[in-house]
Amino acid sequence: MPTDLHAWHTLQQHHSAIRDQHLRDWFAQEGGPDTGSARAARFTLEAAGLVLDYSKNRITAQTMDLLVRLAEEAGLQRRREAMFAGEHINATEDRAVLHVALRAAPDAGFQVDGKPVMPGVHDVLARMREFSQRVRGGEWTGHSGKTITDVVNLGIGGSDLGPRMVCRALAHLPTAATAGGTAPRVHFVSNVDGTELAETLAGLDPDRTLVIVCSKTFTTLETMANAHSTRQWFLDRGVPESELARHFVAVSTNLDAVRAFGIDPANMFEFWDWIGGRFSLWSSVGLSITLALGFEAFAELLAGGRDMDEHFRTAPLDRNMPVVLGMLGVWYRNFFGLPTSCMAPYATSLELFPAFLQQLEMESNGKSVRRDGSPVRTHTSPVVWGTAGTNGQHAYFQMIHQGSQIVPVDFVAPLTPPRGLPGHHAKLLANCFAQAEALMRGRTDEEVRAAGITDEARIPHLRFEGNRPSNTILMEGVTARALGALIALYEHRTFVQGVVWDINSFDQWGVELGKLLAKPIEQELRGGGGAAHDASTSTLIARARAALGGGQG
């Protein structure tokens, strides 16, 4: 149990000793190895094309030494090697956790249950390359011989958030994949709310539309409801049932269900049970990425993830970027007791990264039971939230600067803009760096007065206590390789925290109960027999049935 570890108790004592010290003072001091200009150098890391400045955290060199010791005592090295070795570290589902193999070189040697996995991985990648080139080059056509102009990805959770985020982030890349080829527009539908699907399909030409049904089991409620409705949309618009196979492909493991739906098994792209959904964008789940951006961009994304994997596996823990970020998260969650953290990417192209990170962190580490089934005796995942800067500055940054709760912030910024207008990017970066500096420095009463404020009644409102922590991660640009490294960085950070908390970061049983209860409720909403419910739920069902016209909705 983490709270029984010697390093945990030492960190509690250390926290008591430094919790009231101010970052401003640490930066202002001179002469010591941890302070002044040396502080920024000591607490900066570079790896896989990313730069992490973590000097604006409420830490000293001793803090980091103790946090690394905690990671060691928690068995991080052993658990890391178990993951890379393909051991079944997802014990509740008896599965390996080997998404790192998806971005590895063909000769990497990864195995699961004694069987090499790299031949299968690279066979699927080759099929993805060939298929995306056929679609983008105009060789794959719809039933009427017209080229594909629109692709609709039907999936939810990991089958949606990752690919959607990547396609948005890299939308500025060149779109031509082959000589004379053009990229289709790629749309994402996840919600079972029919509005999303209806609005997406409105205006699309069924003769030129291709659908990816992305579901490992081919039974996911939301995805299959959308798939069947989309199938009917094609039929209603004159596409012969015998020709539907020209308009559907599947990303799944359930061959029988794919065939029964009417999709040619030759157009099913496989992935494996050792890939968790929220870690799956590197697999055939990323087929939409290859169609939107071209396979070479996808290959660069994999290469960036591979760069970070190598760093995570080989760098010393105290100079290991995922380990440092992960342990800082533990420091704030467990020793400062902070319930939330904020992701603030200063790049519009990364605007979906906070949503992606929400699933990655909260579905992975939102647990209250240890790996052995005993209760966790400390807090686990914080609530993750955020939006792209500078929009957040005009929404919630007031609370981050002067609110009653401290919120650690991760700022992410590209040094060069994906695209833009002259002068804009300097303004964007200036805001990013200024927000981090303001959170750290704050503003004293004397500084307020020095700015010319003479009304003493206003001074408390203009005071900033500062001492609020942040990390700043710099990317050279929003390239596919840099994005791959960034995603893998946060994947491994999540793993590090799960190890310290001694939880299984790779299952998600918490979403299952609601799914089970939804099935009989749906039958009741459609006019079927009733089940036993609490009074509130029964009343809600009755109101909804009335609104639906007696169960006709």
Side-chain angles (χ1 to χ4, degrees):
M1 184 168 298
T3 53
D4 293 335
L5 298 174
H6 180 265
W8 189 281
H9 294 289
T10 306
L11 276 163
Q12 287 178 318
Q13 297 168 2
H14 175 69
H15 172 260
S16 297
I18 72 164
R19 65 185 177 190
D20 295 325
Q21 297 182 31
H22 202 291
L23 277 164
R24 178 199 287 250
D25 297 330
W26 284 334
F27 273 97
Q29 294 169 10
E30 295 293 339
D34 306 331
T35 56
S37 60
R39 181 178 176 87
R42 173 183 288 274
F43 296 134
T44 296
L45 289 175
E46 297 188 36
L50 305 179
V51 176
L52 166 65
D53 179 346
Y54 61 105
S55 62
K56 295 185 181 75
N57 282 284
R58 292 171 68 166
I59 56 170
T60 65
Q62 183 184 8
T63 313
M64 294 310 301
D65 289 344
L66 291 173
L67 287 171
V68 168
R69 191 183 308 169
L70 176 60
E72 292 171 340
E73 290 184 13
L76 176 59
Q77 295 103 317
R78 182 179 68 254
R79 296 282 292 169
R80 178 183 59 187
E81 289 309 308
M83 180 177 72
F84 277 89
E87 295 181 21
H88 287 215
I89 64 172
N90 180 356
T92 64
E93 296 179 300
D94 193 23
R95 292 175 180 173
V97 176
L98 208 56
H99 46 277
V100 293
L102 299 171
R103 51 213 188 211
D107 60 354
F110 286 110
Q111 296 187 356
V112 173
D113 299 328
K115 299 178 181 179
V117 302
M118 297 314 301
V121 167
H122 281 268
D123 176 65
V124 171
L125 286 173
R127 293 184 59 226
M128 292 170 65
R129 178 197 292 268
E130 187 268 343
F131 179 75
S132 62
Q133 289 178 341
R134 288 180 66 197
V135 173
R136 290 164 62 85
E139 183 181 348
W140 177 289
T141 65
H143 76 285
S144 63
K146 295 179 181 178
T147 57
I148 299 299
T149 58
D150 292 273
V151 174
V152 180
N153 186 89
L154 304 179
I156 196 166
S159 297
D160 170 78
L161 280 168
R164 188 195 292 253
M165 179 271 293
V166 171
C167 289
R168 172 65 186 96
L170 301 178
H172 59 278
L173 297 182
T175 58
T178 56
T182 57
R185 294 179 294 268
V186 177
H187 315 269
F188 291 88
V189 176
S190 57
N191 203 329
V192 75
D193 182 346
T195 303
E196 184 177 30
L197 180 62
E199 290 180 347
T200 299
L201 295 178
L204 296 189
D205 181 351
D207 287 6
R208 293 179 175 273
T209 299
L210 176 69
V211 178
I212 305 171
V213 184
C214 195
S215 170
K216 180 186 288 189
T217 63
F218 229 67
T219 60
T220 308
L221 182 149
E222 297 90 343
T223 301
M224 297 316 300
N226 285 327
H228 285 287
S229 293
T230 305
R231 188 179 190 277
Q232 190 61 47
W233 176 81
F234 279 107
L235 295 174
D236 291 345
R237 283 153 182 78
V239 178
E241 188 168 9
S242 60
E243 297 292 334
L244 285 177
R246 298 296 305 172
H247 296 274
F248 281 89
V249 298
V251 175
S252 182
T253 60
N254 191 340
L255 183 63
D256 291 339
V258 167
R259 184 187 289 112
F261 183 86
I263 296 175
D264 186 343
N267 297 324
M268 186 187 88
F269 295 83
E270 182 184 10
F271 63 117
W272 303 271
D273 67 3
W274 40 264
I275 305 170
R278 54 197 172 277
F279 303 92
S280 66
L281 67 86
W282 318 95
S283 71
S284 55
V285 169
L287 185 63
S288 55
I289 301 173
T290 69
L291 291 167
L293 306 173
F295 188 84
E296 294 309 314
F298 186 68
E300 279 293 291
L301 187 80
L302 300 182
R306 184 165 61 248
D307 293 341
M308 186 56 69
D309 293 341
E310 181 65 17
H311 169 74
F312 177 55
R313 192 174 189 177
T314 61
L317 296 190
D318 63 341
R319 302 298 295 170
N320 192 304
M321 196 177 288
V323 175
V324 167
L325 274 182
M327 297 313 296
L328 287 171
V330 170
W331 176 235
Y332 292 124
R333 186 72 184 101
N334 297 125
F335 297 92
F336 282 84
L338 306 184
T340 79
S341 66
C342 178
M343 162 55 64
Y346 272 64
T348 298
S349 56
L350 293 175
E351 63 186 349
L352 297 182
F353 193 71
F356 170 77
L357 197 59
Q358 285 178 329
Q359 186 197 24
L360 177 62
E361 285 207 44
M362 292 195 285
E363 191 166 81
S364 294
N365 289 341
K367 313 288 173 60
S368 58
V369 175
R370 297 171 62 214
R371 289 186 298 135
D372 65 4
S374 62
V376 173
R377 294 182 181 174
T378 189
H379 290 301
T380 54
S381 175
V383 175
V384 180
W385 55 285
T387 55
T390 58
N391 290 5
Q393 295 175 200
H394 296 267
Y396 52 80
F397 266 64
Q398 165 62 40
M399 184 272 284
I400 293 179
H401 281 289
Q402 291 184 306
S404 58
Q405 293 186 13
I406 295 175
V407 180
V409 182
D410 281 3
F411 294 96
V412 177
L415 292 175
T416 56
R419 52 190 168 196
L421 299 172
H424 280 248
H425 203 61
K427 291 180 173 65
L428 180 72
L429 291 178
N431 273 273
C432 178
F433 301 158
Q435 291 296 320
E437 184 177 29
L439 287 169
M440 181 273 289
R441 285 175 52 86
R443 184 163 62 175
T444 66
D445 290 1
E446 290 73 21
E447 289 171 332
V448 174
R449 294 186 183 99
I453 303 299
T454 58
D455 182 356
E456 289 294 314
R458 291 181 61 199
I459 289 177
H461 302 280
L462 301 178
R463 179 194 308 132
F464 292 72
E465 68 177 23
N467 211 23
R468 303 204 169 197
S470 68
N471 297 297
T472 300
I473 298 172
L474 300 179
M475 312 162 69
E476 186 60 36
V478 186
T479 65
R481 192 158 191 150
L483 180 62
L486 183 70
I487 297 168
L489 168 63
Y490 279 91
E491 287 180 346
H492 293 318
R493 183 187 80 156
T494 299
F495 170 76
V496 168
Q497 294 176 340
V499 170
V500 173
W501 291 324
D502 194 28
I503 57 179
N504 181 1
S505 298
F506 303 103
D507 61 10
Q508 55 281 329
W509 297 106
V511 303
E512 298 301 321
L513 179 58
K515 290 182 179 180
L516 291 173
L517 296 177
K519 293 179 180 179
I521 291 175
E522 181 185 356
Q523 294 303 312
E524 293 176 62
L525 291 173
R526 293 182 181 277
H533 300 290
D534 61 88
S536 169
T537 303
S538 295
T539 302
L540 294 171
I541 292 171
R543 286 180 178 273
R545 283 186 63 170
L548 292 171
Q552 300 303 309

